[in-house]
Amino acid sequence: MQAKEIIETLSMQRHPEGGWYVQTFRDENGGTRGHSTAIYYLLEAGERSHWHRVHDAAEVWHHYAGAPLALHRSADGGTSETLVLGSDLVKGERPQAIIPANWWQSAESLGEFTLVGCTVSPGFEFSSFEMAPPDWKPASS
């Protein structure tokens, strides 16, 4: 499949941080917020997930299809590291990665497109989401 077909098939919409998403799950236990939420998230070639953080929830990224994904993260905004999500374990890619609560993160596809899933616990709420200023990035990136 091509990115456009995936976006249409999954009824994805634009995400404020960049890319495409659709929420697939919200655990109704745990009140209105829920214990956890899950989305599909897709980045096309040349797109980037803008630096952002979720103040009070951890996020697990899962690689599903397409090219590997460079996932950048920073605990303090000063130093950053890059994890590569993908299926080539021998090359150091991993099928999942963790972003702890309040860590800065950004992502980009390393090819035509990347389809991933993101599970957030407790459930994702835009009120806990912060995007960095347009030109911000960690000092060491």
Side-chain angles (χ1 to χ4, degrees), residues 8-66:
E8 290 173 6
T9 301
L10 297 178
S11 301
M12 300 176 98
Q13 58 186 324
R14 281 283 181 195
H15 196 290
E17 76 193 44
W20 299 87
Y21 84 106
V22 62
Q23 182 173 289
T24 57
F25 175 74
R26 179 175 289 275
D27 182 355
E28 295 302 327
N29 292 314
T32 7
R33 184 168 187 177
H35 291 299
S36 64
T37 53
I39 64 169
Y40 289 128
Y41 183 67
L42 185 141
L43 285 169
E44 296 179 86
E47 286 186 316
R48 185 180 182 99
S49 164
H50 185 73
W51 281 100
H52 67 283
R53 61 183 169 181
V54 180
H55 291 286
D56 59 357
E59 188 167 353
V60 183
W61 288 65
H62 314 266
H63 184 269
Y64 294 138

Side-chain angles (χ1 to χ4, degrees), residues 97-111:
I98 310 297
I99 304 293
N102 209 38
W103 280 39
W104 291 101
Q105 59 182 297
S106 177
E108 58 194 312
S109 177
L110 297 177

